[in-house]
Amino acid sequence: MGTITIDGQAIPFQDGQTLIEAATEAGVYIPHLCHNPEFKPHGSCKLCSVKVNGRVCSACTFPAAEGQEVLNDTDELNEARRMITEMLFVEGNHFCAYCEKSGDCQLQAVGYFLKMTGPRFSYFYPRREVDASHRDILLDRDRCIFCELCVRASRDVDGKNLFAIAGRGIRNHLIVNSASGELEDSGMAVTDKAAHVCPVGAILIKRQAYKVPIGSRTYDERSISEVSLSAEAPVVAAKHD
Amino acid sequence: MIFNIKTADIEPLRERAYGADKQGNIDPLVKKIVKAHGNDPTELLQILRRVQAEYRHIPQRAVELVATQLGISHGQVQGVSEFYSFLSTTPRGQYDIFLSDCIIDHLQGEPAVMAQLCNRLGVKPGQTRADGRVSVDHASCSGLCDQGPSGLVNGYPLTRLTLPRIDQIADLIERGAPLATWPQEFFAIADNLHKTGLILDPPLVPGKALEKAFATGLDGTLAEIGKSGLRGRGGAGFKTALKWKFCREEAGNRYVVCNADEGEPGTFKDRVLLQSHAHQVFEGMTLAAAIVDARQGYLYLRGEYLYLCEPLNRILEERRRLGLLGRKILGHKGFDFDIRLHLGAGAYICGEESALIESLEGKRGVPRNRPPYPVTQGYLGRPTVVNNVETFAAAAKIALNGGDWFAAVGTEKSKGSKILSISGDCARPGIYEYPFGTKIARILEDCGADQVIGVQIGGPSGTFIAPREFDRKLAFEDLATGGSFMIFNENRDVLAIARNFSHFFAHESCGFCTPCRVGTSLLKNCLDKICDGHGTAADLVELTELSRLIKTASHCGLGQTAANPVLSTLERFPHLYERRLREISFQPGFDLDGELEVARRLTGRDDAYAHLTQEE
């Protein structure tokens, strides 16, 4: 047990907790996409960048330690997060207007939360493969943001290890662990955890698209800060109970 | 001294088309390769290098087979195959040529050499010729800037390339001449040792540092290294004695790893150390092993230095014979230690110590989250000392001569001397060892450089300094460098240099974190736009904002330094950037009129109304 401060507010932490875990339990939202408290921290999206004693760190991987002074909700950090979000938008092919994940998408929700208007950068318009081979699951790589949540869920929870990242740098791409490289040969089931952790619309369950009408979806009604805290605080608390 | 690659060491071009039986079955050979590597998953990269050499690519069937044989996922094998520049999932040529894309090779005439090569062979960069005979591509700096333009053919280095030599090479290729029959001077590599100091002169007599260390006692020797003030020579400058002490305090099997993945463009000092001072490097590693109590060591050799494998293995063999490696080293019961070489395959990121460890484990070279640091959880999760080649070479000499001997040279915070790889616009490029604290002006004078517009110190990830700063000093507290020292004279275009570096980082980013993966490509595109004459004031703002973000938010040292070439040139030469800008506030990133070309062709029009002009 110990105490850190986040934006001047005293926050208790348990030994072994990361900054984001301590913050989540205390009801402080730190924007994030690749982090999900159910899985091993990854630290790749960098949206949760905070300043610890003056140094920029990823809150999802950095361990909390007594007396740390953490800055989170500052203009400077939010501007950096906005830029990172814009980078994710221009890197892939994200067309919210006709994406079936719209309203349930964390990338979109974080964009709204950070008051992003439009990306300042030029779009890359990459060519990426869509895999519709599976009868129940659609893999649309256009929207992949390389959070590796599906990689982690399939490996660590489902015990199937169905996904991996191949390539390097801007040519990184999500691959399926099967001889044909297609989802239908992979043994993935719609009940797999990996089918339900994608923060964006890269992995979708088929035939669900418009069951919930646009306008009454998760982030149409509540902001991502609220949704995230209410969903994740119990998960974090359960870890040390 | 000239280092001649023995032609016997060059893998003969295979007589058979491929290592397959009459039915085209590659299984027996691939299985044999995997077995030769002990069916060990940490050997994945080594196995794939062999498969690549055999088939000139990694066939899909090999991916499946290697995964099955090693008991690892298809995705891991595929992921590794696609990560490293010298592995390819599509067939490359029987003669696979890479020319160094380093800015220094460019200055030495690489573009003309590349054009001639492609022209003579009827192939384009990045392509394999239809008959499979040859493929040509660019690779990042090949560590031969003191004798460029340089390149690699089937992994072996070609130096001092000229247009006549390209003609000769093209003839040899068209004739199908095996590499082993090519003139040996094509592969000659000069040491270019111009100035030696504490580390280089005299070279260590094998065994002397270890003998002294055992005479002094291992604790005493560690104390001497502490007293010497030795800091890591790779660039970051962490205190060596402290690293070794931390590692020793951890429980479990420990490892010693030598980082010979020198990929910083303009660096080649490790090449020379391994060519001429390999005993000293290995002795430093063995010394570290004695102090931290490690049984196994690895030397991670960058893929570009394939040609050093055989000579280094011979030296390791010699050290085993001399009782300096293996069981009971120098007769000390319980001191068992050996070293293996591990070859990289073209990935700058693997010079980052945790990425290097991932690569050593047979994975993609993606830097880990820290903490934990390698000294507590490194190779296979065990405590691991990772040091630069030069650090080990220095440690061996310190063990022999004592801490005070080393600390007497240098500055308060940077003790001893530093080996520089000097290249670019100077009369005598090569290796120079200087005491820390030496002024840049002195170095420029020694190597015969004049009319200098700037010096890139520490490679692209370092700093570009202008003439008014030539009184600054070589030191961790002033101008830190892993050894790269690139000189540019007044005829050079500063923006072209920054642009080349931005291409380098975009090419080498591992892609793990958003700021570096996307940011380095955006930076590259933005510089391209400005250099091509389409930049505006808005682009300069974008360049600055981007650079700041990449620097502060990236996951590892690659990203944190990737914007340095832009930031340091923008700070010192803002007028050079401004001069390139157009006098409008915004210009699209593409040529509006050029986009209409297809439409004009289709409609057969070329009149004024079929063209667009932007109001200026």
Side-chain angles (χ1 to χ4, degrees):
Chain A
M1 281 291 284
T3 310
I4 57 174
T5 65
I6 299 183
D7 297 330
Q9 180 192 343
I11 307 279
F13 71 90
Q14 309 279 329
D15 289 337
Q17 271 190 328
T18 58
L19 294 174
I20 209 167
E21 285 173 331
T24 304
E25 268 205 274
V28 173
Y29 173 68
I30 301 177
H32 57 276
L33 283 169
C34 75
H35 179 68
N36 176 331
E38 292 180 60
F39 307 97
K40 199 178 145 201
H42 195 53
S44 69
C45 75
K46 300 295 171 196
L47 219 62
C48 72
S49 295
V50 291
K51 264 195 177 169
V52 183
N53 302 336
R55 208 179 116 212
V56 176
C57 299
S58 302
C60 71
T61 54
F62 206 75
E66 185 59 40
Q68 282 165 337
E69 289 176 21
V70 180
L71 294 180
N72 169 41
D73 190 9
T74 68
D75 288 347
E76 185 194 359
L77 286 164
N78 286 328
E79 168 60 14
R81 291 167 183 155
R82 198 154 45 233
M83 262 171 103
I84 291 170
T85 311
E86 291 174 24
M87 285 179 171
L88 290 170
F89 268 101
V90 300
E91 175 196 26
N93 298 310
H94 300 275
F95 304 104
C96 300
Y98 56 84
C99 175
E100 65 180 78
K101 187 82 171 190
S102 186
D104 288 325
C105 171
Q106 293 182 26
L107 178 65
Q108 184 191 41
V110 146
Y112 280 123
F113 178 83
L114 294 168
K115 301 188 171 60
M116 178 188 135
T117 47
R120 70 199 78 181
F121 310 117
S122 299
Y123 286 94
F124 284 76
Y125 297 119
R127 273 176 185 277
R128 293 189 184 164
E129 275 179 51
V130 176
D131 181 347
S133 62
H134 196 286
R135 65 180 295 272
D136 297 321
I137 304 161
L138 175 74
L139 174 59
D140 187 345
R141 294 183 176 85
D142 287 319
R143 305 172 191 140
C144 179
I145 57 167
F146 309 104
C147 67
E148 294 188 46
L149 274 166
C150 59
V151 176
R152 286 176 277 167
S154 183
R155 183 189 62 209
D156 303 338
V157 178
D158 301 328
K160 291 185 174 179
N161 200 16
L162 296 185
F163 295 101
I165 301 289
R168 186 168 87 193
I170 199 71
R171 294 203 302 263
N172 268 3
H173 56 115
L174 183 67
I175 57 169
V176 177
N177 250 326
S178 69
S180 66
E182 295 202 333
L183 210 52
E184 72 167 330
D185 303 329
S186 68
M188 187 170 182
V190 72
T191 48
D192 286 354
K193 187 77 180 171
H196 302 272
V197 292
C198 184
V200 290
I203 297 178
L204 292 167
I205 311 295
K206 288 183 176 175
R207 298 174 295 278
Q208 306 293 312
Y210 297 102
K211 282 199 169 161
V212 179
I214 284 180
S216 39
R217 295 182 175 186
T218 317
Y219 305 110
D220 292 333
E221 289 166 353
R222 294 192 296 160
S223 85
I224 191 166
S225 58
E226 228 180 293
V227 175
S228 164
L229 285 173
S230 62
E232 294 176 358
V235 179
V236 175
K239 282 190 184 174
H240 56 77
D241 283 343
Chain B
M1 200 184 99
I2 301 286
F3 187 91
N4 275 312
I5 296 171
K6 291 187 182 168
T7 39
D9 287 345
I10 295 181
E11 188 195 7
L13 272 186
R14 296 179 195 276
E15 301 276 314
R16 292 168 294 150
Y18 294 121
D21 63 18
K22 284 192 186 112
Q23 285 75 42
N25 185 4
I26 65 168
D27 294 18
L29 186 67
V30 172
K31 281 185 186 164
K32 207 170 122 190
I33 293 173
V34 178
K35 199 173 166 205
H37 287 271
N39 293 311
D40 179 357
T42 64
E43 290 283 296
L44 177 60
L45 184 55
Q46 310 306 297
I47 292 167
L48 292 177
R49 282 197 61 110
R50 292 274 300 272
V51 172
Q52 173 79 34
E54 197 68 40
Y55 302 105
R56 298 285 163 232
H57 75 301
I58 314 288
Q60 250 327 286
R61 175 66 192 151
V63 172
E64 285 162 38
L65 210 56
V66 169
T68 319
Q69 297 291 308
L70 293 177
I72 57 177
S73 75
H74 188 276
Q76 186 183 342
V77 183
Q78 186 73 29
V80 169
S81 302
E82 290 185 25
F83 188 84
Y84 296 89
S85 293
F86 297 150
L87 302 178
S88 168
T89 51
T90 51
R92 302 195 57 92
Q94 190 187 358
Y95 296 88
D96 188 17
I97 300 178
F98 286 97
L99 292 188
S100 175
D101 206 15
C102 176
I103 185 71
I104 300 298
D105 292 83
H106 274 240
L107 305 186
Q108 296 173 109
E110 188 277 340
V113 165
M114 177 58 107
Q116 176 88 343
L117 186 67
C118 289
N119 189 26
R120 281 293 315 264
L121 293 166
V123 67
K124 283 184 184 153
Q127 274 186 359
T128 302
R129 207 167 77 179
D131 64 356
R133 175 60 63 91
V134 61
S135 51
V136 176
D137 208 346
H138 275 119
S140 297
C141 180
S142 50
L144 294 157
C145 303
D146 54 338
Q147 44 210 303
S150 63
L152 299 168
V153 55
N154 293 353
Y156 292 92
L158 296 165
T159 54
R160 296 178 204 79
L161 290 168
T162 56
L163 299 184
R165 183 159 292 181
I166 288 297
D167 288 337
Q168 284 175 286
I169 289 173
D171 290 341
L172 288 163
I173 289 174
E174 295 296 7
R175 268 197 281 127
L179 281 196
T181 66
W182 289 23
Q184 204 170 29
E185 69 262 26
F186 286 15
F187 304 102
I189 295 176
D191 267 355
N192 291 331
L193 262 173
H194 292 300
K195 190 177 184 312
T196 56
L198 297 180
I199 301 171
L200 291 168
D201 192 40
L204 182 81
V205 176
K208 291 297 165 203
L210 283 172
E211 282 169 19
K212 182 68 188 293
F214 280 109
T216 312
L218 295 175
D219 289 343
T221 304
L222 182 60
E224 288 298 320
I225 292 171
K227 209 199 284 178
S228 77
L230 177 64
R231 294 170 65 175
R233 261 39 184 173
F238 193 79
K239 289 202 163 158
T240 307
L242 215 52
K243 190 182 269 189
W244 293 10
K245 181 171 161 283
F246 287 153
C247 185
R248 185 160 80 156
E249 286 165 356
E250 295 291 325
N253 288 339
R254 302 176 194 88
Y255 293 96
V256 171
V257 175
C258 177
N259 183 346
D261 192 51
E262 72 172 344
E264 190 71 42
T267 322
F268 45 86
K269 55 152 184 102
D270 292 346
R271 180 197 91 214
V272 177
L273 275 168
L274 293 170
Q275 277 173 201
S276 59
H277 289 63
H279 271 292
Q280 193 173 324
V281 175
F282 288 139
E283 189 132 338
M285 289 177 71
T286 313
L287 180 76
I291 288 172
V292 308
D293 188 18
R295 298 287 150 100
Q296 184 63 50
Y298 293 96
L299 183 124
Y300 189 105
L301 187 66
R302 69 184 304 222
E304 289 81 350
Y305 296 166
L306 168 71
Y307 70 96
L308 284 173
C309 270
E310 285 306 316
L312 287 174
N313 273 322
R314 281 197 283 268
I315 288 175
L316 288 175
E317 235 356 276
E318 188 188 342
R319 292 185 70 81
R320 288 181 196 113
R321 274 200 311 277
L322 292 170
L324 300 172
L325 278 179
R327 296 185 66 93
K328 280 197 277 187
I329 291 173
L330 285 176
H332 290 272
K333 198 162 174 261
F335 181 27
D336 305 335
F337 178 69
D338 214 324
I339 297 172
R340 277 172 74 175
L341 301 186
H342 181 103
L343 212 55
Y348 168 71
I349 187 61
C350 292
E352 196 280 341
E353 62 177 0
S354 66
L356 181 143
I357 289 170
E358 288 282 301
S359 180
L360 206 54
E361 292 180 357
K363 301 175 190 158
R364 297 164 79 240
V366 174
R368 295 175 177 175
N369 282 307
R370 298 185 300 177
Y373 292 89
V375 283
T376 55
Q377 285 179 43
Y379 182 59
L380 303 176
R382 305 291 182 191
T384 306
V385 162
V386 183
N387 277 131
N388 181 264
V389 173
E390 186 183 337
T391 312
F392 283 121
K397 291 291 282 281
I398 292 164
L400 182 68
N401 298 314
D404 290 335
W405 165 82
F406 195 74
V409 172
T411 72
E412 181 62 33
K413 286 178 180 157
S414 313
K415 299 294 186 195
S417 54
K418 181 77 194 82
I419 304 176
L420 297 181
S421 321
I422 297 185
S423 66
D425 294 317
C426 65
R428 291 171 296 279
I431 298 296
Y432 293 74
E433 183 177 351
Y434 279 104
F436 271 121
T438 305
K439 286 186 177 176
I440 302 306
R442 163 77 199 282
I443 300 170
L444 290 172
E445 197 182 311
D446 288 354
C447 67
D450 44 38
Q451 294 180 314
V452 176
I453 194 173
V455 183
Q456 183 76 32
I457 293 179
S461 69
T463 316
F464 191 90
I465 61 162
R468 62 174 181 276
E469 301 167 85
F470 290 170
D471 266 350
R472 290 179 67 182
K473 290 170 183 158
L474 190 66
F476 288 106
E477 64 273 25
D478 190 356
L479 290 166
T481 169
S484 175
F485 193 99
M486 302 156 132
I487 304 167
F488 301 97
N489 72 23
E490 288 163 353
N491 299 321
R492 308 302 180 186
D493 175 0
V494 172
L495 256 69
I497 298 166
R499 181 188 198 176
N500 174 277
F501 293 162
S502 73
H503 280 246
F504 167 75
F505 285 116
H507 183 255
E508 297 295 343
S509 167
C510 81
F512 174 77
C513 75
T514 317
C516 178
R517 181 183 67 244
V518 188
T520 52
S521 280
L522 287 170
L523 209 55
K524 178 188 89 159
N525 295 346
C526 198
L527 267 177
D528 283 350
K529 185 179 172 189
I530 294 172
C531 288
D532 290 341
H534 300 298
T536 64
D539 293 300
L540 226 45
V541 174
E542 181 180 316
L543 206 60
T544 316
E545 285 178 352
L546 254 176
S547 298
R548 244 183 262 136
L549 179 82
I550 298 171
K551 194 179 173 79
T552 53
S554 289
H555 179 65
C556 78
L558 188 153
Q560 287 155 14
T561 57
N564 284 357
V566 171
L567 289 168
S568 62
T569 52
L570 205 52
E571 182 191 330
R572 289 166 177 85
F573 305 94
H575 57 285
L576 295 182
Y577 280 85
E578 282 152 15
R579 219 163 55 194
R580 298 280 184 102
L581 303 181
R582 309 191 63 158
E583 284 177 1
I584 47 174
S585 58
F586 177 79
Q587 165 93 1
F590 57 94
D591 174 6
L592 219 49
D593 186 54
E595 296 296 314
L596 290 177
E597 185 52 35
V598 178
R600 277 192 295 268
R601 244 187 8 250
L602 286 173
T603 53
R605 281 179 57 180
D606 199 23
D607 55 285
Y609 291 110
H611 285 273
L612 274 174
T613 48
Q614 182 161 349
E615 297 294 324
E616 305 242 340

